[in-house]
Amino acid sequence: MKRILVGFGLLVIACTVTISCTRNAKKSDTYKPVIGLSLDSLVVERWRRDVDSFTRAATDLDASVKLRVANQDAETQIAQIKSLVDSGIDVLVVIPNHADKLTDICRSVVRRHIPVISYDRLVNRANVDLYISFDNEEVGSLMASAALSAKPEGNYVIINGAITDNNAYMINKGYHKVMDPQIAAGKINLIKEIWPSDWISDEVKSRFEQLLSEEKNIDVVLCGNDMLAETVIGVLSENRMLGKTLVLGQDAELSACQRVAEGSQFATIYKPIERLSLKAAALAVMLAKGEKLPATSTIFDGLYNVPYVKLEPILVTKDTLEKTVIKDGFHSYQDVFRNVPNHKKKE
């Protein structure tokens, strides 16, 4: 089954527009590449899924993976990337802790003629060989549109993702693309935007508590991910505001899907990890072998337009849990509705 999935991923890739790859000399079809996978952290639930799925797919393609986890520290990640390169890798796949601090190290890897894939998060001004991610602007647009459908008027708050993460800015752009006309029309009052220094719940908790001490009439909170949404929901619960305020997040973590089922979280964004990781693994192997790459679009990294493979995210609400995350096997029905008594499964 794994090989079928990988084969499907390759078939999809083959059907897209190709561009030339000139940084790596073409190797034989029997060559077994070594992929360096540099990961920011495993704090967020989804990253474990990414690593497991990516590694399985790479193994099915006769490649090996050297994994390093930086534990949310940019300097550690830089040192680990240097070590990976020195150990001998054919391609680097990086999920950066910091969009700017990793620029120089990624540039140095490129100069050594080792292709670099920026996975899910873009490294700024590094001219990587490929950026592959879900459409982060669409993530923000989906969240804002869902919120506006439920609450077309009222007081809104945005809890952005880490100020060091390029994705957070793209998601924020998606929020504003949808919300700004309503703000200009006076229907939406954007009370505050919070930009945390990192994906740190403690910082968001204290800043959101401070906001609630000043303004308790909040209709919607848009959160950078489900972990931050959980923090916001906890603060709302402590202030007896749960149920009065709609909270939205992204990543479709199990705990978030449970909250959506229970009604404490209004929505989350589901990003089918298998689609991302399978395609990324296949692309990494192609790059390592010096083959032509697919790219349906480009994205500006601050200096360069780099190839961009963009996947579509999916909105998940209480009404769509069963036909999205459960249907795909991302989470089980039993786990999602564990805390919802007498819920009947839809036929």
Side-chain angles (χ1 to χ4, degrees):
M1 182 61 183
K2 293 173 186 173
R3 291 186 180 274
I4 291 173
L5 287 171
V6 172
F8 174 75
L10 287 169
L11 179 62
V12 172
I13 288 167
C15 293
T16 57
V17 180
T18 59
I19 62 174
S20 296
C21 172
T22 57
R23 286 182 184 162
N24 215 12
K26 195 174 190 307
K27 298 181 175 68
S28 71
D29 292 337
T30 58
Y31 183 77
K32 296 184 178 182
V34 178
I35 302 170
L37 178 57
S38 174
L39 178 63
D40 168 30
S41 78
L42 290 170
V43 171
V44 178
E45 176 189 299
R46 66 156 289 193
W47 294 129
R48 298 179 185 275
R49 289 178 178 266
D50 285 85
V51 169
D52 291 344
S53 180
F54 181 93
T55 302
R56 286 196 305 269
T59 301
D60 280 348
L61 291 167
D62 292 324
S64 60
V65 178
K66 293 182 178 179
L67 172 66
R68 300 292 184 273
V69 182
N71 297 318
Q72 295 184 297
D73 183 80
E75 296 305 318
T76 298
Q77 190 166 29
I78 291 168
Q80 289 177 341
I81 290 173
K82 289 178 180 178
S83 176
L84 281 170
V85 170
D86 291 341
S87 73
I89 58 173
D90 297 295
V91 60
L92 174 69
V93 178
V94 58
I95 302 172
N97 166 264
H98 197 294
D100 295 309
K101 289 184 178 179
L102 266 70
T103 298
D104 288 344
I105 184 63
C106 287
R107 281 181 173 179
S108 72
V109 175
V110 169
R111 285 196 296 270
R112 292 182 66 167
H113 303 289
I114 298 172
V116 177
I117 294 178
S118 204
Y119 181 106
D120 195 70
R121 299 173 179 171
L122 182 63
V123 180
N124 291 335
R125 303 178 305 281
N127 198 21
V128 297
D129 293 81
L130 182 72
Y131 172 51
I132 180 167
S133 181
F134 287 91
D135 186 340
N136 291 294
E137 186 174 328
E138 180 65 9
V139 168
S141 294
L142 284 173
M143 292 169 67
S145 295
L148 283 170
S149 294
K151 295 274 188 178
E153 297 183 2
N155 293 331
Y156 277 51
V157 172
I158 294 175
I159 309 289
N160 290 292
I163 201 167
T164 59
D165 188 342
N166 188 67
N167 283 8
Y169 294 92
M170 296 171 73
I171 293 167
N172 182 270
K173 184 178 179 181
Y175 293 152
H176 281 279
K177 181 180 179 181
V178 173
M179 291 172 55
D180 283 355
Q182 305 306 313
I183 293 171
K187 294 182 178 180
I188 295 299
N189 177 26
L190 183 56
I191 296 175
K192 192 174 184 65
E193 287 200 51
I194 293 174
W195 282 96
S197 58
D198 210 329
W199 294 96
I200 300 172
S201 296
D202 289 345
E203 179 185 350
V204 168
K205 184 175 188 293
S206 62
R207 293 176 70 177
F208 189 63
E209 285 173 338
Q210 176 62 36
L211 174 60
L212 281 188
S213 71
E214 302 164 0
E215 174 60 72
K216 290 193 178 294
N217 184 23
I218 298 175
D219 296 290
V220 172
V221 184
L222 300 170
C223 300
N225 68 5
D226 287 331
M227 186 169 63
L228 299 181
E230 182 176 20
T231 298
V232 166
I233 288 168
V235 175
L236 290 171
S237 179
E238 291 169 4
N239 286 267
R240 297 181 179 180
M241 295 175 62
L242 201 58
K244 299 178 183 178
T245 304
L246 300 185
V247 181
L248 298 88
Q250 69 147 334
D251 284 340
E253 291 188 353
L254 175 57
S255 58
C257 290
Q258 289 171 337
R259 291 192 297 272
V260 171
E262 296 158 17
S264 59
Q265 182 168 326
F266 179 68
T268 185
I269 300 296
Y270 169 44
K271 298 184 289 188
I273 302 303
E274 288 274 321
R275 298 179 198 175
L276 177 64
S277 56
L278 289 176
K279 183 170 281 192
L283 291 167
V285 170
M286 292 173 70
L287 267 176
K289 291 184 175 183
E291 297 175 3
K292 290 182 179 180
L293 273 187
T296 54
S297 60
T298 60
I299 188 170
F300 186 61
D301 73 354
L303 280 178
Y304 309 94
N305 288 311
V306 300
Y308 179 18
V309 173
K310 182 166 51 176
L311 286 73
E312 290 301 311
I314 300 166
L315 177 73
V316 177
T317 63
K318 192 171 186 176
D319 292 335
T320 63
L321 279 165
E322 291 188 45
K323 61 183 181 183
T324 54
V325 292
I326 293 172
K327 181 181 178 181
D328 284 2
F330 193 71
H331 300 305
S332 72
Y333 173 88
Q334 291 76 14
D335 285 341
V336 170
F337 291 98
R338 178 183 300 161
N339 302 319
V340 184
N342 303 320
H343 184 275
K344 292 184 179 179
K345 189 174 183 179
K346 295 177 183 177
E347 297 299 330

